[in-house]
Amino acid sequence: MHSNKKGKNCNTNRDSGGSPRPKKSLGQNFLNDPKVVQDIVLCGDLTSADAVIEIGPGLGAMTGRLAEAAGLVVAVEIDGDLIPGLETLCRLYGNIVLIHGDILKLDVEKDIIDKYVRPLGLSKVKVCANLPYYITTPIVMKFLEECPDLIDSLVIMVQKEVAERMIAKPGGKDYGAMTVTVDYFTEPSIQFIVPPHCFRPQPGVDSAVVKLEVRKTPPFELKDKDHFFRTVKAAFLHRRKTLANALANSSLIDANAADVCEVLEVMGLNVMARGETLSGAQFAELSNRLLEKKS
Ligand code: SAM
């Protein structure tokens, strides 16, 4: 630790209480309301037979409560400055595994499930986290697209507007590619809203705790999952275009405007329809029928 001439502490990595100073670049808005922490853990429906992944344990506000409720907590934290404090927490509880790393770079099955969860005789995990908001979408997509079969549910704190996008219905401005993807893999619900004053430092937006219950069976049949997601992505890339134009001009899928219009007519939809008006099931039918035309 450095001292200035007057002997004052000038280590800028620590605040006046000695805690690591929050890093905006890592989305560090730490929870400082025990009631919110308790309510998030309750939403997880955890028992001692559960293994839970916590993304970004931070100063450990939720980690101890999770360790009390679940059989095992695997906590993944990217910030090396927070690791010593978390190691102390690990020593207090015997059932926390701490991984110092980037959640987006880990292989969930190989690095977490195979190493720590399967040896306990479990095959699935629950996710509970106050997410770093700058990477909410990549984290949610990673878990849903890479390993939906290994996840029971995700209870996550996200920005309120992201929560609204997750549960949006077709036709509204919030409805988009993320809505369709979340709906394909899960049954989403907003559990409660969390105001900025429950965090330190306070974020500039309201937050919401969302529960995503991973579906046991898909809601509709897909001929090719990858083609379905590329169709959805292409449809929402240019929201102002008609669906026929958006798909025909996209490099994501191989379709021409005439084929798309023909399929929309067969499906009883307006050829001038925009992507945001189609439900997930309608996107599935569109993707399946476009593939049939190619075969
Ligand atoms: N769970 C703590 C709480 O509720 O007080 C901290 C939540 S804070 C919103 C997000 C946490 O995620 C921070 O601790 C941050 O360092 C961590 N984080 C940011 N990016 C990460 C990444 N790519 N992988 C793992 N953790 C990350």
Side-chain angles (χ1 to χ4, degrees):
M1 194 194 299
H2 304 289
S3 295
N4 65 13
K5 279 183 191 158
K6 289 178 183 164
K8 280 189 187 154
N9 173 8
C10 62
N11 182 341
T12 51
N13 289 331
R14 303 252 154 201
D15 64 18
S16 54
S19 296
R21 207 175 277 283
K23 299 184 179 81
K24 209 173 169 186
S25 62
L26 291 178
Q28 292 181 351
N29 296 99
F30 299 118
L31 269 170
N32 67 356
D33 184 325
K35 172 79 170 70
V36 173
V37 171
Q38 187 191 0
D39 289 348
I40 296 175
V41 176
L42 281 177
C43 288
D45 279 328
L46 300 168
T47 73
S48 56
D50 285 314
V52 57
I53 298 178
E54 185 186 9
I55 301 150
L59 300 174
M62 284 171 52
T63 319
R65 301 288 83 79
L66 290 171
E68 283 159 10
L72 175 76
V73 180
V74 180
V76 181
E77 176 56 60
I78 198 170
D79 185 357
D81 289 342
L82 303 179
I83 296 298
L86 291 166
E87 281 171 344
T88 305
L89 201 64
C90 291
R91 284 191 289 275
L92 275 176
Y93 293 86
N95 60 342
I96 303 173
V97 171
L98 179 61
I99 299 178
H100 178 198
D102 179 346
I103 189 66
L104 293 177
K105 293 196 179 140
L106 291 184
D107 179 324
V108 175
E109 178 154 26
K110 213 162 75 196
D111 299 326
I112 298 180
I113 309 281
D114 284 352
K115 273 194 187 164
Y116 307 110
V117 178
R118 292 210 165 103
L120 298 178
L122 301 171
S123 54
K124 285 196 175 197
V125 288
K126 295 179 174 177
V127 174
C128 253
N130 171 16
L131 290 182
Y133 293 168
Y134 74 109
I135 44 171
T136 299
T137 305
I139 291 176
V140 173
M141 292 306 143
K142 176 185 176 73
F143 278 89
L144 295 185
E145 290 178 354
E146 274 181 27
C147 52
D149 302 342
L150 303 175
I151 311 293
D152 249 333
S153 62
L154 298 98
V155 172
I156 47 177
M157 176 95 75
V158 299
Q159 284 184 42
K160 187 169 159 241
E161 57 159 313
V162 174
E164 282 161 354
R165 271 193 263 145
M166 286 178 174
I167 61 152
K169 298 284 173 236
K173 68 170 176 35
D174 292 333
Y175 186 74
M178 177 197 254
T179 321
V180 179
T181 308
V182 164
D183 176 61
Y184 176 74
F185 288 109
T186 77
E187 292 182 51
S189 58
I190 293 183
Q191 301 289 306
F192 56 94
I193 304 299
V194 184
H197 67 78
C198 297
F199 302 84
R200 187 190 65 86
Q202 298 190 14
V205 290
D206 272 338
S207 301
V209 172
V210 175
K211 184 162 191 174
L212 308 176
E213 299 260 20
V214 178
R215 295 181 190 277
K216 307 261 180 299
T217 49
F220 32 75
E221 288 293 315
L222 295 175
K223 278 193 191 312
D224 178 338
K225 212 195 268 184
D226 188 50
H227 184 268
F228 168 73
F229 286 118
R230 281 188 280 114
T231 305
V232 171
K233 240 176 229 166
F236 287 104
L237 222 46
H238 303 284
R239 294 181 74 102
R240 291 165 148 262
K241 285 188 182 171
T242 64
L243 193 51
N245 269 337
L247 298 189
N249 293 315
S250 173
S251 56
L252 288 168
I253 63 163
D254 176 20
N256 61 55
D259 281 352
V260 179
C261 288
E262 200 184 310
V263 168
L264 288 175
E265 272 180 349
V266 172
M267 289 171 60
L269 296 172
N270 188 329
V271 293
M272 299 302 283
R274 290 174 204 278
E276 69 208 45
T277 61
L278 267 66
S279 67
Q282 287 171 322
F283 270 116
E285 186 176 348
L286 175 66
S287 161
N288 290 346
R289 286 184 183 273
L290 285 174
L291 282 172
E292 267 166 25
K293 283 200 155 290
K294 297 281 158 204
S295 57

PDB file of all heavy atoms in Angstrom, residues 135-158:
ATOM      1  N   ILE A 135     -22.870  -7.721 -20.257  1.00  0.00           N
ATOM      2  CA  ILE A 135     -22.832  -8.966 -21.039  1.00  0.00           C
ATOM      3  C   ILE A 135     -24.042  -9.864 -20.720  1.00  0.00           C
ATOM      4  O   ILE A 135     -23.947 -11.095 -20.813  1.00  0.00           O
ATOM      5  CB  ILE A 135     -21.511  -9.756 -20.825  1.00  0.00           C
ATOM      6  CG1 ILE A 135     -21.121  -9.799 -19.339  1.00  0.00           C
ATOM      7  CG2 ILE A 135     -20.395  -9.244 -21.697  1.00  0.00           C
ATOM      8  CD1 ILE A 135     -19.966 -10.738 -19.037  1.00  0.00           C
ATOM      9  N   THR A 136     -25.171  -9.252 -20.388  1.00  0.00           N
ATOM     10  CA  THR A 136     -26.369 -10.052 -20.077  1.00  0.00           C
ATOM     11  C   THR A 136     -26.728 -10.990 -21.234  1.00  0.00           C
ATOM     12  O   THR A 136     -26.894 -12.204 -21.045  1.00  0.00           O
ATOM     13  CB  THR A 136     -27.586  -9.127 -19.809  1.00  0.00           C
ATOM     14  OG1 THR A 136     -27.286  -8.295 -18.699  1.00  0.00           O
ATOM     15  CG2 THR A 136     -28.826  -9.940 -19.501  1.00  0.00           C
ATOM     16  N   THR A 137     -26.874 -10.405 -22.442  1.00  0.00           N
ATOM     17  CA  THR A 137     -27.354 -11.230 -23.561  1.00  0.00           C
ATOM     18  C   THR A 137     -26.383 -12.367 -23.891  1.00  0.00           C
ATOM     19  O   THR A 137     -26.815 -13.530 -23.978  1.00  0.00           O
ATOM     20  CB  THR A 137     -27.630 -10.347 -24.803  1.00  0.00           C
ATOM     21  OG1 THR A 137     -28.541  -9.323 -24.393  1.00  0.00           O
ATOM     22  CG2 THR A 137     -28.245 -11.133 -25.931  1.00  0.00           C
ATOM     23  N   PRO A 138     -25.060 -12.110 -24.051  1.00  0.00           N
ATOM     24  CA  PRO A 138     -24.168 -13.249 -24.328  1.00  0.00           C
ATOM     25  C   PRO A 138     -24.206 -14.333 -23.247  1.00  0.00           C
ATOM     26  O   PRO A 138     -24.124 -15.519 -23.563  1.00  0.00           O
ATOM     27  CB  PRO A 138     -22.775 -12.613 -24.394  1.00  0.00           C
ATOM     28  CG  PRO A 138     -22.967 -11.156 -24.484  1.00  0.00           C
ATOM     29  CD  PRO A 138     -24.372 -10.809 -24.121  1.00  0.00           C
ATOM     30  N   ILE A 139     -24.361 -13.933 -21.975  1.00  0.00           N
ATOM     31  CA  ILE A 139     -24.387 -14.960 -20.914  1.00  0.00           C
ATOM     32  C   ILE A 139     -25.656 -15.807 -21.038  1.00  0.00           C
ATOM     33  O   ILE A 139     -25.600 -17.050 -21.025  1.00  0.00           O
ATOM     34  CB  ILE A 139     -24.310 -14.325 -19.504  1.00  0.00           C
ATOM     35  CG1 ILE A 139     -22.929 -13.700 -19.262  1.00  0.00           C
ATOM     36  CG2 ILE A 139     -24.594 -15.373 -18.425  1.00  0.00           C
ATOM     37  CD1 ILE A 139     -22.782 -12.968 -17.929  1.00  0.00           C
ATOM     38  N   VAL A 140     -26.803 -15.142 -21.196  1.00  0.00           N
ATOM     39  CA  VAL A 140     -28.066 -15.898 -21.285  1.00  0.00           C
ATOM     40  C   VAL A 140     -28.035 -16.808 -22.518  1.00  0.00           C
ATOM     41  O   VAL A 140     -28.380 -17.997 -22.444  1.00  0.00           O
ATOM     42  CB  VAL A 140     -29.284 -14.937 -21.318  1.00  0.00           C
ATOM     43  CG1 VAL A 140     -30.571 -15.699 -21.571  1.00  0.00           C
ATOM     44  CG2 VAL A 140     -29.370 -14.152 -20.002  1.00  0.00           C
ATOM     45  N   MET A 141     -27.571 -16.267 -23.645  1.00  0.00           N
ATOM     46  CA  MET A 141     -27.523 -17.062 -24.883  1.00  0.00           C
ATOM     47  C   MET A 141     -26.554 -18.237 -24.735  1.00  0.00           C
ATOM     48  O   MET A 141     -26.797 -19.320 -25.242  1.00  0.00           O
ATOM     49  CB  MET A 141     -27.111 -16.190 -26.079  1.00  0.00           C
ATOM     50  CG  MET A 141     -28.152 -15.173 -26.448  1.00  0.00           C
ATOM     51  SD  MET A 141     -29.759 -15.947 -26.730  1.00  0.00           S
ATOM     52  CE  MET A 141     -30.844 -14.757 -26.063  1.00  0.00           C
ATOM     53  N   LYS A 142     -25.444 -18.003 -24.042  1.00  0.00           N
ATOM     54  CA  LYS A 142     -24.464 -19.084 -23.859  1.00  0.00           C
ATOM     55  C   LYS A 142     -25.123 -20.270 -23.147  1.00  0.00           C
ATOM     56  O   LYS A 142     -25.045 -21.407 -23.607  1.00  0.00           O
ATOM     57  CB  LYS A 142     -23.280 -18.568 -23.033  1.00  0.00           C
ATOM     58  CG  LYS A 142     -22.251 -19.644 -22.695  1.00  0.00           C
ATOM     59  CD  LYS A 142     -21.168 -19.098 -21.776  1.00  0.00           C
ATOM     60  CE  LYS A 142     -20.196 -20.177 -21.366  1.00  0.00           C
ATOM     61  NZ  LYS A 142     -19.289 -20.612 -22.411  1.00  0.00           N
ATOM     62  N   PHE A 143     -25.790 -19.998 -22.035  1.00  0.00           N
ATOM     63  CA  PHE A 143     -26.387 -21.090 -21.267  1.00  0.00           C
ATOM     64  C   PHE A 143     -27.519 -21.767 -22.045  1.00  0.00           C
ATOM     65  O   PHE A 143     -27.640 -22.990 -22.027  1.00  0.00           O
ATOM     66  CB  PHE A 143     -26.872 -20.585 -19.900  1.00  0.00           C
ATOM     67  CG  PHE A 143     -25.769 -20.505 -18.885  1.00  0.00           C
ATOM     68  CD1 PHE A 143     -25.000 -19.362 -18.747  1.00  0.00           C
ATOM     69  CD2 PHE A 143     -25.456 -21.602 -18.083  1.00  0.00           C
ATOM     70  CE1 PHE A 143     -23.957 -19.290 -17.832  1.00  0.00           C
ATOM     71  CE2 PHE A 143     -24.412 -21.544 -17.164  1.00  0.00           C
ATOM     72  CZ  PHE A 143     -23.671 -20.394 -17.036  1.00  0.00           C
ATOM     73  N   LEU A 144     -28.341 -20.962 -22.743  1.00  0.00           N
ATOM     74  CA  LEU A 144     -29.492 -21.555 -23.445  1.00  0.00           C
ATOM     75  C   LEU A 144     -29.067 -22.313 -24.700  1.00  0.00           C
ATOM     76  O   LEU A 144     -29.567 -23.398 -24.965  1.00  0.00           O
ATOM     77  CB  LEU A 144     -30.510 -20.470 -23.800  1.00  0.00           C
ATOM     78  CG  LEU A 144     -31.179 -19.779 -22.605  1.00  0.00           C
ATOM     79  CD1 LEU A 144     -32.249 -18.806 -23.078  1.00  0.00           C
ATOM     80  CD2 LEU A 144     -31.771 -20.798 -21.643  1.00  0.00           C
ATOM     81  N   GLU A 145     -28.132 -21.724 -25.450  1.00  0.00           N
ATOM     82  CA  GLU A 145     -27.787 -22.358 -26.727  1.00  0.00           C
ATOM     83  C   GLU A 145     -26.776 -23.488 -26.562  1.00  0.00           C
ATOM     84  O   GLU A 145     -26.838 -24.487 -27.260  1.00  0.00           O
ATOM     85  CB  GLU A 145     -27.259 -21.306 -27.709  1.00  0.00           C
ATOM     86  CG  GLU A 145     -28.378 -20.378 -28.161  1.00  0.00           C
ATOM     87  CD  GLU A 145     -27.955 -19.250 -29.105  1.00  0.00           C
ATOM     88  OE1 GLU A 145     -26.744 -19.088 -29.360  1.00  0.00           O
ATOM     89  OE2 GLU A 145     -28.834 -18.546 -29.585  1.00  0.00           O
ATOM     90  N   GLU A 146     -25.837 -23.317 -25.621  1.00  0.00           N
ATOM     91  CA  GLU A 146     -24.773 -24.337 -25.492  1.00  0.00           C
ATOM     92  C   GLU A 146     -25.207 -25.549 -24.682  1.00  0.00           C
ATOM     93  O   GLU A 146     -24.791 -26.664 -24.967  1.00  0.00           O
ATOM     94  CB  GLU A 146     -23.541 -23.734 -24.798  1.00  0.00           C
ATOM     95  CG  GLU A 146     -22.606 -23.046 -25.747  1.00  0.00           C
ATOM     96  CD  GLU A 146     -21.389 -22.483 -25.037  1.00  0.00           C
ATOM     97  OE1 GLU A 146     -20.988 -22.995 -23.977  1.00  0.00           O
ATOM     98  OE2 GLU A 146     -20.853 -21.495 -25.566  1.00  0.00           O
ATOM     99  N   CYS A 147     -25.997 -25.318 -23.624  1.00  0.00           N
ATOM    100  CA  CYS A 147     -26.236 -26.464 -22.736  1.00  0.00           C
ATOM    101  C   CYS A 147     -27.606 -26.428 -22.058  1.00  0.00           C
ATOM    102  O   CYS A 147     -27.688 -26.582 -20.837  1.00  0.00           O
ATOM    103  CB  CYS A 147     -25.124 -26.549 -21.693  1.00  0.00           C
ATOM    104  SG  CYS A 147     -24.851 -24.989 -20.819  1.00  0.00           S
ATOM    105  N   PRO A 148     -28.701 -26.248 -22.839  1.00  0.00           N
ATOM    106  CA  PRO A 148     -30.023 -26.184 -22.190  1.00  0.00           C
ATOM    107  C   PRO A 148     -30.357 -27.454 -21.412  1.00  0.00           C
ATOM    108  O   PRO A 148     -31.056 -27.400 -20.398  1.00  0.00           O
ATOM    109  CB  PRO A 148     -30.992 -25.983 -23.372  1.00  0.00           C
ATOM    110  CG  PRO A 148     -30.249 -26.453 -24.572  1.00  0.00           C
ATOM    111  CD  PRO A 148     -28.811 -26.177 -24.307  1.00  0.00           C
ATOM    112  N   ASP A 149     -29.835 -28.599 -21.870  1.00  0.00           N
ATOM    113  CA  ASP A 149     -30.176 -29.875 -21.198  1.00  0.00           C
ATOM    114  C   ASP A 149     -29.522 -30.000 -19.830  1.00  0.00           C
ATOM    115  O   ASP A 149     -29.861 -30.897 -19.056  1.00  0.00           O
ATOM    116  CB  ASP A 149     -29.708 -31.069 -22.049  1.00  0.00           C
ATOM    117  CG  ASP A 149     -30.332 -31.035 -23.418  1.00  0.00           C
ATOM    118  OD1 ASP A 149     -31.346 -30.317 -23.579  1.00  0.00           O
ATOM    119  OD2 ASP A 149     -29.799 -31.696 -24.325  1.00  0.00           O
ATOM    120  N   LEU A 150     -28.530 -29.132 -19.549  1.00  0.00           N
ATOM    121  CA  LEU A 150     -27.810 -29.247 -18.281  1.00  0.00           C
ATOM    122  C   LEU A 150     -28.334 -28.257 -17.247  1.00  0.00           C
ATOM    123  O   LEU A 150     -27.876 -28.231 -16.108  1.00  0.00           O
ATOM    124  CB  LEU A 150     -26.314 -28.979 -18.499  1.00  0.00           C
ATOM    125  CG  LEU A 150     -25.616 -29.860 -19.520  1.00  0.00           C
ATOM    126  CD1 LEU A 150     -24.175 -29.416 -19.719  1.00  0.00           C
ATOM    127  CD2 LEU A 150     -25.655 -31.316 -19.068  1.00  0.00           C
ATOM    128  N   ILE A 151     -29.296 -27.424 -17.656  1.00  0.00           N
ATOM    129  CA  ILE A 151     -29.775 -26.356 -16.773  1.00  0.00           C
ATOM    130  C   ILE A 151     -31.246 -26.576 -16.421  1.00  0.00           C
ATOM    131  O   ILE A 151     -32.078 -26.822 -17.299  1.00  0.00           O
ATOM    132  CB  ILE A 151     -29.656 -24.964 -17.467  1.00  0.00           C
ATOM    133  CG1 ILE A 151     -28.270 -24.760 -18.090  1.00  0.00           C
ATOM    134  CG2 ILE A 151     -29.993 -23.832 -16.490  1.00  0.00           C
ATOM    135  CD1 ILE A 151     -27.136 -24.653 -17.124  1.00  0.00           C
ATOM    136  N   ASP A 152     -31.556 -26.470 -15.133  1.00  0.00           N
ATOM    137  CA  ASP A 152     -32.946 -26.568 -14.660  1.00  0.00           C
ATOM    138  C   ASP A 152     -33.660 -25.232 -14.813  1.00  0.00           C
ATOM    139  O   ASP A 152     -34.764 -25.150 -15.335  1.00  0.00           O
ATOM    140  CB  ASP A 152     -32.930 -26.881 -13.149  1.00  0.00           C
ATOM    141  CG  ASP A 152     -33.423 -28.270 -12.874  1.00  0.00           C
ATOM    142  OD1 ASP A 152     -34.218 -28.763 -13.683  1.00  0.00           O
ATOM    143  OD2 ASP A 152     -33.004 -28.854 -11.860  1.00  0.00           O
ATOM    144  N   SER A 153     -33.006 -24.203 -14.288  1.00  0.00           N
ATOM    145  CA  SER A 153     -33.615 -22.865 -14.311  1.00  0.00           C
ATOM    146  C   SER A 153     -32.531 -21.813 -14.127  1.00  0.00           C
ATOM    147  O   SER A 153     -31.447 -22.105 -13.614  1.00  0.00           O
ATOM    148  CB  SER A 153     -34.637 -22.735 -13.180  1.00  0.00           C
ATOM    149  OG  SER A 153     -33.992 -22.892 -11.937  1.00  0.00           O
ATOM    150  N   LEU A 154     -32.848 -20.603 -14.565  1.00  0.00           N
ATOM    151  CA  LEU A 154     -31.949 -19.462 -14.324  1.00  0.00           C
ATOM    152  C   LEU A 154     -32.750 -18.394 -13.588  1.00  0.00           C
ATOM    153  O   LEU A 154     -33.823 -17.986 -14.067  1.00  0.00           O
ATOM    154  CB  LEU A 154     -31.423 -18.864 -15.626  1.00  0.00           C
ATOM    155  CG  LEU A 154     -30.574 -19.772 -16.522  1.00  0.00           C
ATOM    156  CD1 LEU A 154     -31.422 -20.357 -17.635  1.00  0.00           C
ATOM    157  CD2 LEU A 154     -29.431 -18.987 -17.162  1.00  0.00           C
ATOM    158  N   VAL A 155     -32.249 -17.969 -12.437  1.00  0.00           N
ATOM    159  CA  VAL A 155     -32.847 -16.839 -11.721  1.00  0.00           C
ATOM    160  C   VAL A 155     -31.815 -15.730 -11.802  1.00  0.00           C
ATOM    161  O   VAL A 155     -30.724 -15.855 -11.230  1.00  0.00           O
ATOM    162  CB  VAL A 155     -33.157 -17.200 -10.259  1.00  0.00           C
ATOM    163  CG1 VAL A 155     -33.596 -15.959  -9.485  1.00  0.00           C
ATOM    164  CG2 VAL A 155     -34.240 -18.270 -10.203  1.00  0.00           C
ATOM    165  N   ILE A 156     -32.132 -14.697 -12.576  1.00  0.00           N
ATOM    166  CA  ILE A 156     -31.096 -13.697 -12.867  1.00  0.00           C
ATOM    167  C   ILE A 156     -31.626 -12.277 -12.694  1.00  0.00           C
ATOM    168  O   ILE A 156     -32.759 -11.982 -13.055  1.00  0.00           O
ATOM    169  CB  ILE A 156     -30.547 -13.880 -14.308  1.00  0.00           C
ATOM    170  CG1 ILE A 156     -31.689 -14.051 -15.316  1.00  0.00           C
ATOM    171  CG2 ILE A 156     -29.579 -15.041 -14.365  1.00  0.00           C
ATOM    172  CD1 ILE A 156     -31.239 -14.168 -16.754  1.00  0.00           C
ATOM    173  N   MET A 157     -30.751 -11.431 -12.155  1.00  0.00           N
ATOM    174  CA  MET A 157     -31.055  -9.997 -12.091  1.00  0.00           C
ATOM    175  C   MET A 157     -30.566  -9.387 -13.393  1.00  0.00           C
ATOM    176  O   MET A 157     -29.393  -9.573 -13.771  1.00  0.00           O
ATOM    177  CB  MET A 157     -30.296  -9.373 -10.930  1.00  0.00           C
ATOM    178  CG  MET A 157     -30.476  -7.891 -10.849  1.00  0.00           C
ATOM    179  SD  MET A 157     -31.767  -7.428  -9.725  1.00  0.00           S
ATOM    180  CE  MET A 157     -30.956  -7.725  -8.175  1.00  0.00           C
ATOM    181  N   VAL A 158     -31.461  -8.678 -14.080  1.00  0.00           N
ATOM    182  CA  VAL A 158     -31.106  -8.021 -15.341  1.00  0.00           C
ATOM    183  C   VAL A 158     -31.712  -6.615 -15.323  1.00  0.00           C
ATOM    184  O   VAL A 158     -32.517  -6.296 -14.451  1.00  0.00           O
ATOM    185  CB  VAL A 158     -31.649  -8.816 -16.570  1.00  0.00           C
ATOM    186  CG1 VAL A 158     -31.067 -10.203 -16.624  1.00  0.00           C
ATOM    187  CG2 VAL A 158     -33.177  -8.888 -16.562  1.00  0.00           C
TER     188      VAL A 158
END
